[in-house]
Amino acid sequence: MGLQAIEADAGVISRADRVYSAIQDKLIMLDIRPNEAIVESALAEELGVGRTPVREALKRLEGERLVISFPRQGTFATGVDVSDLSHISEIRAHLEPVAARRAAEAASPTLRQLLLDMADKTDGLDVSGMERHELMRWDLTVHRTIYRVARNPHLEDVLVRYDNLATRIFCLYLERLPSVPEHVGEHGELLRAIANGDGDLAGEIARQHVTGFEKAVRAVV
């Protein structure tokens, strides 16, 4: 993400973190389908690593409710149940505005410019012509950048977890959602409100963004 590239303490991503991120991406984007069995040896071969970093990544991902393990049965991608959406949205509707307001207060001039650049990029996206994975990765990048700018690591951890779960639901119904361009467009408004230091507006846009997503999904289920 752009934010990581400009932060002085970004550091070098370890091999274990790269394996974790790669598997997490497959689970969020539904390349590993819900309830699908996960074969450690096959993942290790695909990623060009041994089984140990794969096993360690799966343990981390189980804590994020992206995989589940059963004794003597193996590890599986967790199912995607739309009935969970109300619980996920309840948490996000309260905490996404907190992160947006905090980011509007905490962002440095450099980060405010980054957010404006991201807003411009969002406005220029050809949503209808974008590949699904590309679109959803941009959605994740916007949200995770805002969480990082808020500079509350505990809030960031919670929001990343629930944004990941919400994105899996989004991916499941993406082809049936007519409001995707509008949903993506809201990111531009949100990013500008944060960059301009308008915490109240940013918080309200963030809240509407979450509740609007829930309503859109429920309309096509």
Side-chain angles (χ1 to χ4, degrees):
M1 289 184 288
L3 177 61
Q4 290 177 320
I6 66 173
E7 284 190 329
D9 60 350
V12 178
I13 299 175
S14 69
R15 183 179 67 168
D17 284 338
R18 286 197 297 270
V19 171
Y20 159 78
S21 295
I23 300 173
Q24 182 190 60
D25 184 81
K26 290 177 178 294
L27 291 160
I28 294 172
M29 298 297 161
L30 306 187
D31 290 334
I32 301 175
R33 300 296 298 177
N35 301 310
E36 181 180 333
I38 296 174
V39 181
E40 291 182 6
S41 57
L43 265 180
E45 182 177 357
E46 179 182 350
L47 298 175
V49 297
R51 293 180 64 173
T52 297
V54 171
R55 190 174 297 116
E56 291 173 348
L58 292 175
K59 288 180 181 177
R60 290 174 65 182
L61 293 164
E62 186 168 14
E64 298 173 16
R65 298 188 177 183
L66 291 174
V67 303
I68 185 169
S69 297
F70 299 100
R72 297 182 295 279
Q73 296 183 45
T75 301
F76 300 80
T78 54
V80 175
D81 188 344
V82 74
S83 66
D84 291 335
L85 181 58
S86 62
H87 302 302
I88 294 170
S89 295
E90 181 178 18
I91 295 168
R92 295 183 69 223
H94 282 87
L95 295 184
E96 291 276 356
V98 174
R101 290 191 190 95
R102 182 74 184 96
E105 297 168 356
S108 66
T110 301
L111 291 178
R112 292 185 194 281
Q113 185 58 55
L114 170 66
L115 296 171
L116 289 173
D117 292 343
M118 292 180 71
D120 290 341
K121 180 175 179 178
T122 298
D123 292 345
L125 292 177
D126 176 16
V127 176
S128 61
M130 288 180 70
E131 193 268 338
R132 186 193 75 175
H133 282 38
E134 184 182 2
L135 177 64
M136 296 315 302
R137 287 193 182 98
W138 180 249
D139 183 274
L140 287 170
T141 295
V142 169
H143 283 282
R144 291 180 182 182
T145 299
I146 293 170
Y147 305 156
R148 184 64 58 85
V149 173
R151 298 198 178 280
N152 182 330
H154 302 289
L155 178 64
E156 181 180 0
D157 286 347
V158 172
L159 281 172
V160 166
R161 173 179 297 192
Y162 286 100
D163 186 46
N164 288 345
L165 296 177
T167 301
R168 295 184 83 215
I169 296 174
F170 202 160
C171 286
L172 191 64
Y173 294 99
L174 186 61
E175 304 301 330
R176 297 164 58 186
L177 289 171
S179 60
V180 172
E182 178 183 349
H183 179 84
V184 174
E186 291 170 358
H187 289 145
E189 301 172 31
L190 177 58
L191 289 163
R192 285 195 174 86
I194 295 171
N196 292 331
D198 193 336
D200 289 340
L201 178 59
E204 181 58 22
I205 294 172
R207 186 190 65 80
Q208 292 181 6
H209 185 70
V210 172
T211 57
F213 166 66
E214 181 180 7
K215 290 177 182 177
V217 171
R218 293 198 178 282
V220 299
V221 172

